[in-house]
Amino acid sequence: MKTFISHKKLNNELRNSEGSLGLVATMGSLHRGHISLIEKATANNTNVIVSIFINPTQFDENQDLRNYPKNLQNDLQLLQNFPNILVYIPEISDLYPKKIKAKNYDFGKLDKIMEGEFRPGHFNGVSTIVEKLFTIFYPDFAYFGEKDFQQVIIIKALVEQQELSTKIISCPTIRENDGLAMSSRNQLLKEGYRKNAAIIHNSLLEAKQLMKSMNPPQLEKTVAAKFFNAEGVDLEYFKVLTNDSLAERKKFNKAEAYRAFIACRIGEVRLIDNIILT
Ligand code: PAF
C-alpha cells in the first residue's frame, strides 16, 4: 500500500501501468461497508485507488462537518490488508486549488427530494468532488454503497450528463447484527441511543410486509406513524419511490420495482437507510 497527498504524484505512479483502474471514494472512518467495496474493487481491477477526503462542500451544516468522525490512523491500519492499493489522502488545496466551492448541477427532481430537500446543496457538493476525482484519475470503475442509494442514482446521472467514462458499480449495504446499516456516523451514537437505532431497519422490513396490502401513500403514512412515540428518534422522511427514477406513485404496479427510504435523527445523529421492496 502506498499513500499520496498529491493527485499528480499518484497519477505519476500509475503512468506506465496497464489494466483497469478502480476507485473507492470515501470520507474515511472506514468500516466493513467500505471494506466490502475495496474487496470488490481489488478483485476486479489491476489497480485500485482508495481516496480518503472529508469533502467540505457536501456539508450543509458547519457543525456536521466539524463533528464528522476522523480516524486516519485506524483507517490506514485497516488498509494494510490491501498491499497493492494506492491511498489518496489529499489536503483541501489538492482538490480545491482556487475556491472551496461546489458547482451547480441540474438533476431535475432527483436532487430536490429526500437528502436534497433536507440537506440543501448536498448533492452539488457530492457531484463536484466525484466529478473532480473522476477527471483527475479517470477510473474505469467506481464503487459506491447502496446505503446512499439516492447518491448512487445521482452519480450515475452525473456520469451521463458530463459524459464521463467511469462505470458506476453499486454494492449492497452491509449491516450490523441488528440490521443497522454500517455508516461512519454510527460511532457518533451515544450509548443508550444505539439500541434505538434498530427501528430504522425494522421499519424498512415492515414496509416490505405492508406493501402486500397497501398503496405507497398509505404505506408511507402507516410506517411514519410508528415513529410518533419512538423514544429518542425523530423521523425526517419515510418515502416509497420507484427504484430507478425515484418517482412517486399512487399505486404499486407489477411492472416496476420500488424502494423505501428513511432518514431520521437518533439523538443528535442523522442516519439514512433504504431497502428494495420488490
Ligand atoms: O459517500 C461518501 O462517503 C461521500 O459522499 C463521497 C462519495 C466519498 C463523496 O465525498
Side-chain angles (χ1 to χ4, degrees), residues 21 58 70 78-79 123 125-126 149 191 207:
L21 175 63
Q58 72 186 73
K70 297 161 194 77
L78 283 173
L79 292 177
F123 286 121
V126 170
F149 193 83
E191 233 188 289

Side-chain angles (χ1 to χ4, degrees), residues 46-271:
T46 324
N47 299 295
V48 170
I49 299 174
V50 175
S51 63
I52 299 180
F53 178 65
I54 300 181
N55 171 37
T57 63
Q58 72 186 73
F59 288 82
D60 55 316
E61 292 170 13
N62 283 335
Q63 193 171 346
D64 189 27
L65 174 58
R66 272 197 302 274
N67 290 346
Y68 197 83
K70 297 161 194 77
N71 295 298
L72 188 56
Q73 288 319 312
N74 193 51
D75 291 346
L76 293 175
Q77 186 93 29
L78 283 173
L79 292 177
Q80 275 173 9
N81 294 324
F82 302 93
N84 298 323
I85 61 172
L86 305 170
V87 184
Y88 174 52
I89 316 170
E91 295 287 340
I92 291 184
S93 58
D94 201 51
L95 285 165
Y96 292 96
K98 292 189 181 129
K99 263 191 171 172
I100 305 176
K101 202 169 181 287
K103 271 173 71 173
N104 262 317
Y105 295 86
D106 182 2
F107 295 114
K109 256 194 99 177
L110 289 180
D111 65 341
K112 312 285 181 301
I113 54 172
M114 299 193 290
E115 293 308 282
E117 181 184 344
F118 282 85
R119 303 182 67 190
H122 171 65
F123 286 121
N124 278 334
V126 170
S127 304
T128 300
I129 200 66
V130 169
E131 187 178 352
K132 277 175 196 270
L133 292 169
F134 285 7
T135 53
I136 57 179
F137 296 127
Y138 292 97
D140 300 292
F141 301 96
Y143 299 77
F144 295 94
E146 286 182 358
K147 181 188 71 72
D148 299 298
F149 193 83
Q150 190 180 7
Q151 170 172 281
V152 175
I153 295 271
I154 286 174
I155 292 173
K156 284 182 177 167
L158 169 78
V159 164
E160 209 172 298
Q161 219 171 76
Q162 304 298 321
E163 298 181 0
L164 305 171
S165 56
T166 303
K167 186 166 183 333
I168 304 306
I169 313 290
S170 76
C171 306
T173 303
I174 306 295
R175 299 182 179 282
E176 305 270 8
N177 286 341
D178 66 350
L180 181 64
M182 294 268 172
S183 161
S184 305
R185 292 177 187 271
N186 291 356
Q187 61 185 268
L188 299 174
L189 287 168
K190 296 222 170 74
E191 233 188 289
Y193 280 102
R194 170 62 188 83
K195 63 178 187 328
N196 298 344
I199 191 174
I200 300 174
H201 187 235
N202 288 341
S203 69
L204 292 170
L205 293 178
E206 201 174 342
K208 228 178 151 106
Q209 285 305 315
L210 290 173
M211 80 167 294
K212 293 173 192 153
S213 57
M214 290 181 185
N215 61 39
Q218 283 168 337
L219 185 48
E220 287 176 358
K221 258 196 199 153
T222 309
V223 175
K226 313 245 173 223
F227 284 78
F228 290 160
N229 300 319
E231 205 192 308
V233 183
D234 272 328
L235 181 69
E236 280 192 355
Y237 61 76
F238 187 88
K239 299 293 292 174
V240 174
L241 303 173
T242 59
N243 188 58
D244 300 331
S245 53
L246 307 185
E248 290 189 357
R249 293 283 185 262
K250 294 262 178 291
K251 286 185 178 159
F252 287 116
N253 173 343
K254 282 210 169 71
E256 279 184 320
Y258 300 88
R259 193 171 280 266
F261 298 84
I262 183 168
C264 63
R265 286 185 193 265
I266 308 283
E268 301 284 293
V269 186
R270 188 173 184 281
L271 298 176

